[in-house]
Amino acid sequence: VVNLIGVFLTATLLMLRVYGLDPREALSLRAPHPAAWLAVAIGAPSSLLVAVGVSRLASLVLPVPSEMLESFSKSLFPEGIAVWQMLFFVAVLPGICEELAFRGMLLYGLRRRMGVLKLCLTIGVVFGLFHFALFRLVSTAFLGAILTVVTVFSGSIFPAMVWHGLNNAIGVVAAYAGGDAGGEPPIWISVVAVFPLALSIWILRRWQRPPEATGENGAGIAAS
């Protein structure tokens, strides 16, 4: 709560006020094309599976001790916490607060200065670094880059919010259902999941909605 509301959300609101920005424009608070929701339904579970595969490939270069993974799982899923509480704190709050900060304010400030590929990679890396876990950096940066693509192509932050929330919620439910927060699917599932993920990105690209024209305020924050 301190990180999500006290840091990400508060910083976003402060920047809106300090720079005198239009929240709808700066945070992409607009309705996406209806096809975007189909892309979210296909892409959210697919990107989670692909991210697991990406993480396992990264572990071949930077192996992670099993003790560290077990410690992380215990800290993330403490005993005595109800599923609905975990969903709220791990899925709902991050899906709103982190998206407003990264795919809202940060994306708005950088999009006039970078091409789409560099923009998505940059925001993805920053997103990964802000999670302060080296062994999760690659997979978290991958998710951050995908969510940036979703926002850029849909022209709206709402699909990324739902995508982010579903991604985390699936992980929470799977952990509770399986009784093992550290369990991973076979690597071939991650490979197969690349195809529905690509389909979801194609849908977003096919029915892309460009961002609204940026006014003087947008130029000001991009240059600052």
Side-chain angles (χ1 to χ4, degrees):
V1 173
V2 171
N3 288 335
L4 295 172
I5 297 179
V7 178
F8 293 132
L9 182 59
T10 300
T12 299
L13 297 177
L14 283 175
M15 292 188 72
L16 288 173
R17 181 176 179 82
V18 169
Y19 287 100
L21 301 173
D22 176 6
R24 185 173 181 274
E25 179 186 355
L27 304 179
S28 298
L29 302 177
R30 62 182 69 91
H33 190 283
W37 301 117
L38 174 61
V40 171
I42 298 173
S46 302
S47 64
L48 176 60
L49 293 172
V50 175
V52 171
V54 169
S55 178
R56 294 176 70 175
L57 289 176
S59 68
L60 297 177
V61 180
L62 295 173
V64 181
S66 58
E67 295 80 6
M68 179 180 294
L69 293 176
E70 293 176 2
S71 176
F72 175 76
S73 298
K74 291 180 181 179
S75 65
L76 185 61
F77 296 92
E79 296 182 1
I81 301 297
V83 177
W84 72 266
Q85 291 175 310
M86 287 297 299
L87 289 173
F88 178 74
F89 289 112
V90 177
V92 176
L93 278 184
I96 296 174
C97 299
E98 290 183 359
E99 290 310 304
L100 289 175
F102 292 98
R103 261 63 61 178
M105 188 57 61
L106 182 59
L107 175 58
Y108 180 72
L110 295 179
R111 72 187 313 158
R112 292 167 57 90
R113 310 172 71 171
M114 300 180 180
V116 174
L117 179 59
K118 184 178 180 181
L119 179 68
C120 295
L121 292 177
T122 299
I123 294 179
V125 171
V126 173
F127 182 70
L129 291 173
F130 264 89
H131 281 74
F132 301 106
L134 183 60
F135 71 92
R136 297 174 59 207
L137 174 60
V138 175
S139 59
T140 307
F142 170 79
L143 175 62
I146 292 295
L147 292 172
T148 307
V149 171
V150 172
T151 305
V152 170
F153 284 171
S154 68
S156 169
I157 199 173
F158 297 121
M161 285 182 172
V162 177
W163 188 308
H164 191 163
L166 283 175
N167 176 89
N168 292 11
I170 293 170
V172 170
V173 172
Y176 273 82
D180 180 8
E184 294 181 338
I187 189 64
W188 66 265
I189 295 182
S190 297
V191 176
V192 172
V194 171
F195 297 97
L197 176 58
L199 173 61
S200 68
I201 299 301
W202 178 85
I203 293 173
L204 291 169
R205 185 71 177 85
R206 173 64 178 79
W207 285 278
Q208 181 176 0
R209 302 188 77 168
E212 295 179 352
T214 304
E216 295 180 359
N217 287 337
I221 191 172
S224 62

